[in-house]
Amino acid sequence: MRKQIAAANWKMNLSWSEAEQLLNDLLSSSYHLSENQQVIISVPAIYIPLAIQKVAEKSGVHIAAQNCYPKANGAFTGEISAPMLASVGVKHIVIGHSERREYFNESDTFLAEKVNATLAIGSTPIFCCGEPLAIREAGTQNEYVAKQIEASLFQLSADEISKVVIAYEPIWAIGTGKTATSDQAQEIHAYIRSVLAKQYGENIAQSISILYGGSVKANNAVEIFSQPDVDGGLVGGASLIVTEFNAIINALK
Ligand code: PGA
């Protein structure tokens, strides 16, 4: 059974004390996670040790990094490597968020290196893909997303890709309040799964969790997550509000 995942993406938000408060509020909430459900909270790097310490007792809740640098160490001022993240207990790293692709010019090949670096330290890449509005309007979103996946993931062996989580996040829905309809999400998630099946076989494709991201809120999560190929969400804005994120966790299948 595929993992169903509610992943928070705090992005570059919250002070130390606000982060601490939000974690306390989240952890004292009374949601129950079943065996195949996970909560992953991706926090700014500076809060990772605090967050890991806080969730230590809570089973099914993990802390993720929002990024890593592909090299293990060296003269890369300001960067943080995957082995450094592993050394503080990180097991999940978000790779290729559209904001990093756009504002930091991260290319498909650079992202492939980050995916490799993440897997090399035994962590799970949460690999983001998704099209801009112009591509959606032209109706070529499937080809666009397939190319992102092929270019950054198809260097992986079958065993390696089984460890990846994919997050489909249409750029036109991120932070805009404009969600893809559940039909649109289902259609492209099923397509992504077919692309994986063609390369790695049906069994592996069926085992990979594919999350939807882009204005997921308490009031649309149940509908979106109920789609057969949607295995939860990657949530930005609504993950900063404890009642919203709790409702999103409760919306997991
Ligand atoms: P949003 O962000 O939920 O605020 O649209 C999602 C994301 O960027 O991961």
Side-chain angles (χ1 to χ4, degrees), residues 22-242:
L22 181 51
L23 287 166
N24 287 344
D25 292 347
L26 270 173
L27 294 171
S28 59
S29 312
S30 61
Y31 52 81
H32 172 74
L33 296 175
S34 65
E35 189 81 339
N36 72 320
Q37 295 174 335
Q38 274 186 343
V39 171
I40 301 176
I41 308 170
S42 109
V43 305
I46 195 168
Y47 304 146
I48 289 172
L50 165 78
I52 287 198
Q53 196 190 349
K54 288 228 174 261
V55 305
E57 307 279 289
K58 194 93 174 175
S59 80
V61 182
H62 306 269
I63 297 303
Q66 297 178 6
N67 182 32
C68 71
Y69 195 71
K71 298 280 190 284
N73 50 50
F76 302 101
T77 302
E79 293 298 322
I80 300 175
S81 71
M84 288 174 180
L85 293 168
S87 75
V88 296
V90 167
K91 300 253 166 43
H92 299 80
I93 306 178
V94 177
I95 305 286
H97 191 281
S98 60
E99 287 148 19
R100 296 216 56 91
R101 291 175 186 264
E102 183 180 349
Y103 307 139
F104 303 97
N105 298 316
E106 296 194 351
S107 68
D108 291 333
T109 38
F110 189 53
L111 296 175
E113 288 180 44
K114 292 189 182 203
V115 168
N116 295 344
T118 302
L119 288 165
I121 47 121
S123 283
T124 299
I126 301 175
F127 177 78
C128 304
C129 56
E131 79 287 355
L133 185 59
I135 295 290
R136 172 62 65 165
E137 284 175 348
T140 53
Q141 64 274 7
N142 285 2
E143 295 80 348
Y144 186 93
V145 167
K147 197 181 149 284
Q148 289 179 318
I149 290 174
E150 287 164 17
S152 301
L153 297 182
F154 278 13
Q155 77 282 8
L156 302 177
S157 67
D159 187 45
E160 288 168 332
I161 198 138
S162 311
K163 298 176 181 133
V164 174
V165 170
I166 293 178
Y168 166 70
E169 299 203 302
I171 296 170
W172 46 271
I174 295 176
T176 58
K178 238 199 216 176
T179 328
T181 64
S182 52
D183 287 347
Q184 282 173 325
Q186 170 55 27
E187 198 184 327
I188 195 154
H189 280 227
Y191 176 73
I192 290 170
R193 212 177 290 290
S194 76
V195 168
L196 296 169
K198 209 161 151 210
Q199 183 74 6
Y200 294 101
E202 193 59 33
N203 283 352
I204 285 175
Q206 285 300 333
S207 74
I208 294 175
S209 299
I210 306 178
L211 316 184
Y212 168 80
S215 298
V216 174
K217 309 275 180 226
N219 66 11
N220 58 28
V222 171
E223 162 82 18
I224 295 171
F225 297 175
S226 70
Q227 297 299 316
D229 285 291
V230 178
D231 305 309
L234 179 57
V235 186
S239 75
L240 299 170
I241 304 162
V242 71

